[in-house]
């Protein structure tokens, strides 16, 4: 569920002190973006696990997804531009479709979606013009269903190094979505679960590099499969936090052309 950081390569046999915090500092993001501290611990011994092994461990940790064709998450959301007390709905399915709606009471604050072919975004009732960057950002949410990568993406993924993130060692995997379009994912070695994903967003209007990061926490089992119930999204300027309180498997597909119902 539902994203390249440029840095020097680190050989596995060399002790690593690099943290996600340092990655984001290199992209001119504030220190407070991620609470990550270095500790006097040894890097995991032995070779890096393959991306296939990492994905298999994650799938095993999440639980059985056979027969689950779609997912609808509901909960509360806080963050930049979101009125107090707002709620969200996020739909994902195996066809790669996606819809995310934020409501304040019965009023739709914003909505965005990916139909599999086209993207849309609506803010305060106004349909926004789609740029290639906006389409890529929306499509990214729909790339994976419940953290399981399509085989075509998994085949090209590569584990590149260890990362000490939030005081735990993680396997850092480079996932290529398409040529020139990639993200890094961090998998907890102890739980097997996806902990964070980071995607280089390029350069902003001021010429500064920036990235977008998603942190997945507090996994809980819903009908036998685990879902992260605390999801934080950050881009160095703004932060949003979603807390999931309702999960529906095999939910019917909503309208994915911008005709969002109140």
């Amino acid at each position: 569920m539902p994203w390249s950081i440029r840095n020097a390569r680190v050989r596995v046999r060399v002790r690593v002190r690099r943290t996600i915090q340092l990655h984001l500092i290199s992209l001119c993001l504030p220190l407070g973006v991620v609470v990550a501290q270095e500790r006097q611990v040894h890097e995991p011994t032995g070779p890096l696990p393959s991306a296939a092994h990492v994905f298999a461990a994650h799938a095993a940790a999440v639980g059985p997804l056979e027969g689950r064709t779609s997912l609808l998450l509901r909960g509360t959301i806080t963050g930049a531009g979101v009125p107090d007390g707002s709620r969200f709905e996020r739909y994902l399915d195996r066809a790669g479709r996606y819809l995310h709606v934020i409501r304040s009471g019965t009023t739709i604050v914003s909505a965005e979606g990916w139909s599999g072919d086209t993207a849309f975004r609506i803010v305060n009732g106004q349909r926004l013009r789609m740029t290639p960057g906006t389409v890529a950002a929306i499509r990214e949410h729909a790339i994976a269903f419940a953290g399981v990568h399509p085989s075509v993406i998994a085949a090209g993924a590569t584990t590149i190094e260890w990362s000490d993130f939030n005081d735990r060692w993680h396997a850092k995997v480079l996932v290529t979505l398409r040529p020139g379009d990639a993200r890094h994912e961090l998998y907890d070695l102890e739980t097997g679960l996806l902990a964070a994903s980071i995607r280089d967003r390029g350069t902003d209007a001021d010429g500064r590099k920036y990235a977008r990061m998603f942190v997945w926490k507090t996994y809980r089992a819903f009908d036998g499969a685990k879902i992260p119930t605390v999801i934080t999204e950050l881009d160095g300027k703004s932060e949003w936090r979603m807390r999931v309180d309702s999960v529906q498997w095999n939910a019917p597909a909503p309208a994915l052309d911008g005709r969002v119902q109140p």
Side-chain angles (χ1 to χ4, degrees), residues 51-72:
H53 176 84
V54 171
F55 292 160
H58 176 66
V62 166
L65 295 176
E66 293 81 2
R68 305 176 198 261
T69 58
S70 66
L71 174 66
L72 178 62

Side-chain angles (χ1 to χ4, degrees), residues 106-126:
T106 59
T107 301
I108 295 175
V109 177
S110 64
E112 64 180 31
W114 172 253
S115 68
D117 298 304
T118 59
F120 71 88
R121 178 173 289 169
I122 298 169
V123 178
N124 296 324
Q126 299 297 314

Side-chain angles (χ1 to χ4, degrees), residues 6-251:
R6 297 187 182 92
N7 49 25
R9 286 190 174 276
V10 179
R11 295 179 182 175
V12 174
R13 61 179 175 270
V14 176
R15 181 171 177 162
V16 179
R17 294 283 190 82
R18 188 172 303 166
T19 66
I20 293 305
Q21 187 180 56
L22 295 180
H23 290 309
L24 295 179
I25 291 171
S26 71
L27 292 170
C28 301
L29 298 182
L31 294 177
V33 164
V34 176
V35 179
Q37 298 179 348
E38 296 181 74
R39 353 172 247 177
Q40 298 299 317
V41 295
H42 292 288
E43 179 184 358
T45 58
L48 281 165
S50 67
H53 176 84
V54 171
F55 292 160
H58 176 66
V62 166
L65 295 176
E66 293 81 2
R68 305 176 198 261
T69 58
S70 66
L71 174 66
L72 178 62
L73 306 176
R74 293 187 177 95
T76 60
I77 181 168
T78 57
V82 178
D84 292 343
S86 293
R87 291 185 59 81
F88 78 92
E89 298 171 7
R90 176 171 290 193
Y91 171 88
L92 299 159
D93 66 22
R94 286 200 179 278
R97 297 176 296 184
Y98 158 77
L99 177 67
H100 184 82
V101 181
I102 298 176
R103 289 183 171 88
S104 177
T106 59
T107 301
I108 295 175
V109 177
S110 64
E112 64 180 31
W114 172 253
S115 68
D117 298 304
T118 59
F120 71 88
R121 178 173 289 169
I122 298 169
V123 178
N124 296 324
Q126 299 297 314
R127 193 167 185 134
L128 304 186
R129 181 177 66 87
M130 292 287 97
T131 66
T134 303
V135 172
I138 292 173
R139 181 179 58 83
E140 180 177 350
H141 288 294
I143 288 296
F145 169 70
V148 178
H149 298 286
S151 58
V152 65
I153 295 174
T158 306
T159 310
I160 59 173
E161 65 184 28
W162 302 113
S163 285
D164 186 359
F165 171 60
N166 282 350
D167 263 356
R168 294 165 73 97
W169 283 106
H170 293 68
K172 184 176 181 181
V173 180
L174 175 63
V175 178
T176 301
L177 310 178
R178 61 175 61 181
D181 186 4
R183 68 175 180 242
H184 287 89
E185 297 185 337
L186 302 178
Y187 288 85
D188 189 317
L189 294 178
E190 296 184 25
T191 67
L193 294 167
L194 175 64
S197 59
I198 311 165
R199 184 168 177 191
D200 186 352
R201 291 293 184 180
T203 304
D204 66 13
D206 299 319
R208 295 174 300 187
K209 293 180 180 179
Y210 75 107
R212 179 154 295 202
M213 182 172 190
F214 298 84
V215 180
W216 320 95
K217 296 174 62 178
T218 318
Y219 280 78
R220 288 176 48 203
F222 294 87
D223 192 24
K226 291 181 180 177
I227 295 294
T229 58
V230 179
I231 304 167
T232 304
E233 183 176 341
L234 324 93
D235 63 11
K237 298 178 181 179
S238 301
E239 177 177 336
W240 299 267
R241 175 166 292 193
M242 292 172 280
R243 293 185 178 274
V244 176
D245 56 35
S246 172
V247 172
Q248 181 182 352
W249 295 103
N250 297 335

